[in-house]
Amino acid sequence: MINKDILVLAETLSNEKGLEKQVVFEALEAALAMASRKASDIPNMDARVSIDQETGDYETFRIWTVVNEEDYEFIERHYTLEEAKEVQSDLDLGDTIEEPIESCKFGRIEAQAAKQVILQEVRKAVRAKMVKDYEDRVGELVNGTVKRVTREAIYVDLGGNAEAVIRREDMLPREIVRVNDRIRAYLFEVNTESRSPQILLSRTHPDMLKALFEVEVPEIGEGVISVKACARDPGNRAKVAVKTNDGRIDPIGACVGMRGARVQAVSSELSGERIDIVQWDSNPAQFVINILAPAEVTSIVVDEEKHSMDVAVADEQLALTIGRNGQNIRLAAELSGWTLNVMNAEDAQAKSESEAEKTVAQFVEELEIEADLAALLVQEGFISIEEIAYVDEAELLNLEGLDEESVAELRNRAKDVMLTKALVSDAAEQPQDDLLNMDGMTEEMAEKLAKHSILSMEDLAEQAVDELLEIEELGLNEQKAAQLIMTARAPWFEEEDSTK
């Protein structure tokens, strides 16, 4: 390879691949260094090549690396620290010693090997540039041209030697694309873990809906309107929750646009996906009511502990609320983030009465009060003993038939019940003596096991090594975990021996 060839090759690769010349020259140097090592008569030699980027001249250097005695492997390219200091006194581990050598004349085989390395290094540089260019664009809409269509995925040319992938599950159902079609998709990930970094696009991602509205509705881009949440059944139906940051602007009307132009533009991009735009509300119950409109909600019961709501509607609106194959209520649950149980008014009333009877019975049993008082508490909205224990005293005094003395007694009973339950719960989570006294067990380790319901040697004996390793706070390695389990299983083997 002569000097002129090197400069021409560097120029060509730089222009074709859109790479800086420095990157191309580094690839050329790596290729020439590899070819030098292969052409040399010295086995395991290490070499470096330096190219003058103005003239194309290059120099070759033989390299020795200073290593410790444990890593000393090849006499042709390794020096121990002691040997290195004889050459140069200020050298340290990891330093290198270089010696100019005659640059090899490359024949056809060496040139072919160099070409392969050059192509490999250039591909690596192209991938690194692609990752750098697109990592900061995650969360954006990108446009490209369909380059290739397979059964598993669609490959999209984004320009600039960048190629993206849309997996079949990220395409809209029944959507047909052909080579050379223009396509728009949502960039949700740049995967750098695979051998070849991938730009992953999606047309089903909920945030694509949000990104499309940002394009079509200027008020969203300006921050006047916020898209709070999106839920999609891709290609069929979607729900979008919007909120205005300016009371003078109707967020739903702005997103729909004049004669529905804005929402229709988004729908057309998604193959006719039907889009419902709803008013977001900070009150979860009101938000769910907004989502389910035009169906009228007759009552709604919120269970904070289970993060669920019981929604009652009229019989004739039950089908509308649930939707075909449960689609409407499923999207409503996804958009709100709550579990929604839809029922008619009669079923809701029956469930409410049943739960009220259970709460009354609980109050009677645990607080040792009369059924009439328990029913009164439930009727006034008290659904747990915790509420009775810590509610403001004035609220209880407002109840008919309760004075300061009876309120104080009721609150004390509620606190005693809660304390007893807490003590029972704490005791249940305490490690048993056999686990604490087991060989190889520490008190700290036993307490950590107890948090994962491993309270006794028997519990520990039933575990697998992988299950113990999943408890990260234990800090066990595979050998230690196996040893603990076998110690816990020792009584099993003793029983087997005694029965023989």
Side-chain angles (χ1 to χ4, degrees):
M1 187 177 290
I2 61 176
N3 304 355
K4 184 180 178 181
D5 292 336
I6 290 178
L7 295 178
V8 170
L9 181 58
E11 184 75 27
T12 303
L13 288 172
S14 177
N15 293 334
E16 285 184 357
K17 304 297 182 180
L19 299 172
E20 296 180 5
K21 281 190 178 180
Q22 179 62 35
V23 174
V24 176
F25 275 111
E26 288 175 1
L28 288 169
E29 287 172 346
L32 292 171
M34 189 205 75
S36 296
R37 288 191 291 270
K38 287 193 173 184
S40 173
D41 295 331
I42 305 173
N44 302 316
M45 182 191 79
D46 198 5
R48 179 180 72 84
V49 172
S50 177
I51 300 175
D52 187 320
Q53 299 183 17
E54 298 295 329
T55 65
D57 294 335
Y58 61 91
E59 297 178 288
T60 307
F61 301 88
R62 183 179 176 183
I63 300 175
W64 286 268
T65 305
V66 182
V67 298
N68 56 37
E69 293 184 0
E70 290 79 7
D71 295 329
Y72 188 90
E73 186 176 359
F74 301 109
I75 190 173
E76 297 86 358
R77 61 177 174 179
H78 286 164
Y79 272 153
T80 64
L81 185 58
E82 184 179 347
E83 291 171 339
K85 286 187 178 294
E86 293 178 3
V87 179
Q88 191 175 325
S89 59
D90 61 347
L91 290 172
D92 205 347
L93 291 174
D95 290 342
T96 57
I97 301 171
E98 294 189 355
E99 175 185 300
I101 60 176
E102 183 179 355
S103 296
C104 296
K105 303 300 181 183
F106 301 116
R108 181 178 59 82
I109 296 176
E110 289 80 11
Q112 186 64 28
K115 181 181 177 182
Q116 292 300 322
V117 174
I118 290 170
L119 293 175
Q120 181 180 344
E121 292 296 321
V122 168
R123 281 195 294 267
K124 188 189 301 182
V126 169
R127 288 196 295 265
K129 182 177 183 298
M130 180 187 73
V131 170
K132 182 179 178 182
D133 290 344
Y134 283 90
E135 270 187 329
D136 295 335
R137 296 186 62 185
V138 172
E140 295 182 10
L141 289 175
V142 296
N143 296 290
T145 304
V146 176
K147 182 178 180 181
R148 185 158 50 98
V149 179
T150 68
R151 183 175 296 179
E152 293 77 23
I154 294 164
Y155 296 86
V156 181
D157 182 4
L158 300 179
N161 294 307
E163 182 181 84
V165 179
I166 308 179
R167 296 171 300 200
R168 279 294 174 182
E169 59 265 29
D170 293 320
M171 288 293 294
L172 297 174
R174 301 176 300 280
E175 186 173 33
I176 299 173
V177 295
R178 297 178 177 86
V179 174
N180 295 327
D181 282 355
R182 293 290 296 171
I183 193 168
R184 177 190 279 182
Y186 179 78
L187 199 170
F188 69 95
E189 184 182 354
V190 177
N191 182 1
T192 58
E193 295 180 0
S194 60
R195 182 179 177 184
S196 177
Q198 287 183 317
I199 299 173
L200 299 178
L201 306 182
S202 172
R203 286 177 57 77
T204 62
H205 199 289
D207 285 343
M208 181 173 182
L209 199 56
K210 180 178 179 181
L212 286 170
F213 270 103
E214 288 176 355
V215 171
E216 296 295 337
V217 183
E219 292 87 346
I220 295 177
E222 295 167 2
V224 179
I225 295 174
S226 301
V227 178
K228 302 295 289 184
C230 298
R232 294 180 66 189
D233 183 357
N236 295 311
R237 191 173 182 184
K239 289 182 181 290
V240 181
V242 294
K243 170 183 177 290
T244 180
N245 300 315
D246 185 339
R248 297 169 298 177
I249 295 178
D250 171 22
I252 296 178
C255 291
V256 171
M258 186 72 68
R259 297 180 181 176
R262 290 174 174 177
V263 71
Q264 186 58 46
V266 175
S267 178
S268 297
E269 176 63 41
L270 300 175
S271 298
E273 191 170 305
R274 178 185 167 191
I275 302 170
D276 300 332
I277 303 174
V278 302
Q279 178 88 39
W280 182 83
D281 198 291
S282 58
N283 182 328
Q286 183 59 52
F287 184 33
V288 169
I289 292 172
N290 294 347
I291 295 172
L292 296 178
E296 294 183 8
V297 176
T298 58
S299 70
I300 189 165
V301 178
V302 180
D303 187 333
E304 295 278 359
E305 186 176 338
K306 295 181 179 178
H307 203 68
S308 67
M309 298 186 193
D310 290 341
V311 181
V313 296
D315 285 336
E316 60 273 16
Q317 294 193 328
L318 195 58
L320 173 66
T321 306
I322 295 173
R324 182 181 298 177
N325 298 321
Q327 182 190 66
N328 191 55
I329 196 63
R330 186 172 64 251
L331 288 175
E334 185 179 340
L335 190 69
S336 66
W338 287 72
T339 300
L340 303 180
N341 306 312
V342 180
M343 57 195 76
N344 60 29
E346 291 181 2
D347 290 341
Q349 180 66 27
K351 184 175 181 181
S352 176
E353 291 176 356
S354 174
E355 290 179 351
E357 289 175 3
K358 290 179 182 178
T359 306
V360 168
Q362 180 191 8
F363 287 173
V364 169
E365 180 182 354
E366 296 184 357
L367 297 177
E368 298 180 355
I369 58 177
E370 296 293 331
D372 291 345
L373 177 56
L376 177 62
L377 290 169
V378 171
Q379 184 179 339
E380 293 298 325
F382 292 93
I383 60 173
S384 70
I385 291 177
E386 184 179 5
E387 288 181 341
I388 297 172
Y390 296 109
V391 73
D392 187 80
E393 192 171 320
E395 289 192 35
L396 288 172
L397 285 172
N398 287 332
L399 299 183
E400 184 179 350
L402 291 180
D403 53 24
E404 291 186 4
E405 183 178 349
S406 57
V407 165
E409 175 64 21
L410 183 61
R411 284 163 59 88
N412 287 336
R413 290 186 185 184
K415 290 177 181 178
D416 287 344
V417 169
M418 292 187 61
L419 179 60
T420 301
K421 287 183 177 180
L423 291 173
V424 170
S425 176
D426 289 343
E429 294 180 355
Q430 293 301 313
Q432 296 179 15
D433 290 341
D434 65 338
L435 185 65
L436 288 166
N437 297 327
M438 191 185 87
D439 290 342
M441 182 63 60
T442 64
E443 184 175 346
E444 181 183 4
M445 193 184 301
E447 289 176 355
K448 290 176 180 178
L449 287 169
K451 292 178 181 178
H452 293 267
S453 301
I454 302 173
L455 307 175
S456 65
M457 283 181 64
E458 183 72 18
D459 293 337
L460 180 56
E462 293 174 352
Q463 304 301 309
V465 172
D466 290 345
E467 291 174 321
L468 282 192
L469 293 178
E470 288 176 1
I471 306 176
E472 295 181 359
E473 60 264 36
L474 288 175
L476 298 177
N477 57 34
E478 189 170 341
Q479 182 180 357
K480 179 63 175 176
Q483 184 181 348
L484 285 174
I485 291 172
M486 292 308 295
T487 303
R489 290 177 180 176
W492 293 0
F493 304 124
E494 291 173 3
E495 291 177 6
E496 288 180 5
D497 292 339
S498 64
T499 58
K500 291 180 180 178

